[in-house]
Amino acid sequence: MSSVYEQLGGQAAVEAAVDIFYRHVLNDDRINRFFEGVDMDRQAAKQKAFLTMAFGGPHNYTGKSMREGHAHLLKLGMNDSHFDAVAEDLAKTLTELGVGQPLVDQVLAIAGSTREDVMGRSA
Amino acid sequence: MPVIRFEGDSFVCNDGESVLECLRRNGREIPFSCLSGVCGTCILRAIEGIPPSTSQASLKDTLRAQGYFLSCSCRPTSDMEVALGDGVGARVPAVLTAIEPLNPTVVRVRARAEKPFDYRAGQFASLLRHDGLARTYSLASVPGIDPELEFHVARVPGGAMSEWLHRDAVPGMRIELLGPRGDCFYVPGNPDQPLFLLGTGTGLAPLYGILRDAIHQGHRGPIHLFQGGLTRDGLYLVDELREIAPAHANVAYHPCVRDADPADPLHGAIDEVAQRIVPNLKGWRVYLCGHPDMVTMMRKKTFLAGASMKEIFADAFIPSPKVS
Ligand SMILES: Cc1cc2nc3c(=O)[nH]c(=O)nc-3n(C[C@H](O)[C@H](O)[C@H](O)COP(=O)(O)OP(=O)(O)OC[C@H]3O[C@@H](n4cnc5c(N)ncnc54)[C@H](O)[C@@H]3O)c2cc1C
Ligand code: HEM
């Protein structure tokens, strides 16, 4: 059985999803304040990193770097409800791209596995 | 601390210091301008050692592979041997041929390169004065149409290069050019794609080049040019641009003056005018040039209006920071 990342279409799936996902995030009033003022060019690269990770693709992030990368957002008030919003936008993106529910659920499970790190709760 | 070798000498690079700062501290005149890793003036080549990826992020793959990097954003963690880039970093001698006002604060500067200078309309190049002062300007001329290079330079009060070009420079003076760089240019191969060009101030310069290049190359899709200024005086080339539009049915020109009298037909903030005229940018290619804040704002607005991130090309005219 090939990986979730391969089933989705790998790099091409990330490319196809990035515009849609980022547009959802910027239009989502629950979370867009966290992305204000972040330079779009640089942000695009980070969105791709996020999607690659959520799709179960190859990446270099560790739990530690996820905690460090989001620590400043905790100070701005990021909590579990924001995590849920991101997950929702992710699911919406995949559904729009015609990805079936079983695969969407697998992606959400992978993203969910980073929750404790993103929220800075694990050791 | 890492050691930087350059033209046979070795210099210790202090903690947090860039290669550019280290070399200049030691009296080496490396030209530079924006100090933000954008303009490309300070490009060098690593002969030994690997430049940190941030110093190569804005370079083309081909240059990256050859070890080129931007020395202002290169904070080395290990020893490097670096050199002025041959070819890429080579300076092209040029002569100023004309300097004429386009409006009260903008001059058109024309120059003739004395060696081959391959560029695309809309790219930018660094202009070097005889004393090494360097600033980046966009190319408003089009290869194949204009025999000379053309730049539009706004006067910045107290600005080293722009005041010189406005006040002291005269035809016949020699300068040097470095570049060109940048990916804001017309790409043939998709002649029916709609194009959205938006610029404020001298942000018109690259767009003026891109527009004429697109027409010259037979672009058939709609082309909308939005030119913004704070006052009517801030616009320029208005009459000429007004004449292009009727001659080419696919071209529409929209000058906008933010602080004009509301009764003035040109009154309007450029982002609002653009949104009204082209509310949906799905499938469009977008070019944004001018003030950095405007570019940041419009990047987001055009993206949310449907343009794909890959199809948004922008040149933010980042000013050079004050250096001691
Ligand atoms: C990619 C790129 C393309 C560019 N293309 C063009 C172009 O086509 N036409 C053009 O006119 N300029 C363009 N610029 C800007 C240009 O490179 C110079 O920054 C500008 O001409 C000022 O240089 P100066 O030597 O006159 O002023 P400086 O001596 O560098 O600056 C004097 C002071 O004014 C401040 N300052 C500089 N610019 C501004 C500004 N716009 N608003 C407020 N304060 C400012 C500086 O921070 C400094 O304190 C471009 C910049 C970049 C990065
Ligand atoms: C679903 C779990 C998540 C994963 C897997 C994830 C992953 C990532 C990754 C890989 C980066 C790039 C880091 C870098 O290279 O610098 C990043 C950056 C970012 N993330 Fe997340 N993220 C998650 C949840 C969230 C949430 C819930 C928020 C807030 C609403 C958030 C906001 C951000 C922001 C604002 C950045 C950019 C930080 C900056 O300005 O540099 N992320 N994320």
Side-chain angles (χ1 to χ4, degrees), chain B:
Chain B
M1 277 176 291
V3 171
I4 307 298
R5 286 193 307 284
F6 179 71
E7 295 182 344
D9 293 315
S10 293
F11 307 113
V12 173
C13 193
N14 291 331
D15 256 354
E17 199 175 42
S18 69
V19 169
L20 177 69
E21 286 160 349
C22 171
L23 293 176
R24 292 190 62 88
R25 181 167 54 77
N26 288 288
R28 298 315 173 100
E29 288 299 317
I30 311 294
F32 65 95
S33 181
C34 79
L35 294 178
S36 314
V38 173
C39 75
T41 310
C42 66
I43 193 163
L44 295 179
R45 184 172 178 181
I47 296 173
E48 250 185 77
I50 296 164
S53 58
T54 44
S55 65
Q56 295 188 305
S58 69
L59 298 180
K60 282 197 283 252
D61 294 348
T62 46
L63 294 182
R64 241 181 266 177
Q66 297 171 71
Y68 286 99
F69 65 97
L70 301 183
S71 59
C72 74
S73 42
C74 178
R75 291 172 216 290
T77 48
S78 53
D79 295 357
M80 290 177 78
E81 176 165 0
V82 305
L84 292 169
D86 42 25
V88 176
R91 304 178 187 183
V92 173
V95 180
L96 297 179
T97 54
I99 302 172
E100 63 207 23
L102 290 170
N103 74 16
T105 54
V106 176
V107 288
R108 169 191 259 152
V109 175
R110 290 192 205 269
R112 191 178 60 244
E114 299 192 313
K115 280 191 192 160
F117 184 76
D118 288 326
Y119 71 99
R120 312 276 199 105
Q123 286 193 296
F124 50 84
S126 295
L127 246 78
L128 276 80
R129 200 169 64 181
H130 52 84
D131 61 354
L133 178 75
R135 293 288 183 268
T136 308
Y137 295 101
S138 303
L139 284 148
S141 46
V142 183
I145 301 181
D146 304 309
E148 299 188 326
L149 305 175
E150 170 175 341
F151 304 93
H152 302 161
V153 179
R155 180 175 204 150
V156 173
M161 182 66 96
S162 63
E163 291 268 28
W164 179 74
L165 285 167
H166 275 253
R167 258 195 342 229
D168 307 316
V170 291
M173 281 183 168
R174 312 189 59 82
I175 55 165
E176 288 179 306
L177 300 168
L178 199 70
R181 269 176 44 82
D183 58 9
C184 247
F185 52 78
Y186 179 71
V187 187
N190 200 349
D192 295 310
Q193 184 178 30
L195 307 180
F196 179 98
L197 317 180
L198 184 146
T200 54
T202 43
L204 180 68
L207 303 179
Y208 177 71
I210 293 167
L211 171 69
R212 291 182 307 131
D213 196 16
I215 294 172
H216 181 61
Q217 302 209 37
H219 194 81
R220 293 185 299 251
I223 308 177
H224 281 264
L225 170 65
F226 298 89
Q227 178 190 24
L230 300 179
T231 63
R232 249 188 199 254
D233 267 358
L235 303 181
Y236 62 91
L237 291 176
V238 176
D239 293 339
E240 185 180 330
L241 288 165
R242 281 208 167 116
E243 281 168 23
I244 291 184
H248 301 272
N250 59 332
V251 177
Y253 167 55
H254 314 282
C256 320
V257 179
R258 197 193 67 185
D259 297 339
D261 188 286
D264 188 324
L266 301 193
H267 170 79
I270 193 165
D271 56 318
E272 291 166 13
V273 174
Q275 194 162 19
R276 193 175 67 236
I277 293 174
V278 191
N280 186 344
L281 289 171
K282 193 167 165 42
W284 288 59
R285 180 180 278 264
V286 172
Y287 296 91
L288 309 169
C289 304
H291 195 282
D293 294 344
M294 181 283 291
V295 167
T296 302
M297 170 189 79
M298 286 309 302
R299 231 186 224 286
K300 194 157 159 180
K301 289 203 172 181
T302 52
F303 174 66
L304 288 175
S308 165
M309 253 184 270
K310 290 192 299 291
E311 299 272 18
I312 302 176
F313 296 85
D315 273 345
F317 289 3
I318 300 163
S320 302
K322 271 264 172 282
V323 279
S324 47

Side-chain angles (χ1 to χ4, degrees), chain A residues 20-67:
Chain A
I20 303 174
F21 174 68
Y22 194 32
R23 218 169 263 132
H24 282 316
V25 167
L26 288 180
N27 278 318
D28 189 337
D29 288 334
R30 296 171 294 181
I31 51 174
N32 52 17
R33 68 183 174 95
F34 295 109
F35 297 84
E36 288 275 308
V38 182
D39 178 70
M40 283 233 346
D41 244 4
R42 223 165 288 165
Q43 195 56 44
K46 293 189 175 173
Q47 298 293 335
K48 285 187 195 166
F50 164 83
L51 291 167
T52 306
M53 215 174 153
F55 292 177
H59 66 84
N60 294 319
Y61 294 100
T62 60
K64 181 163 174 281
S65 68
M66 276 293 99
R67 285 194 296 281

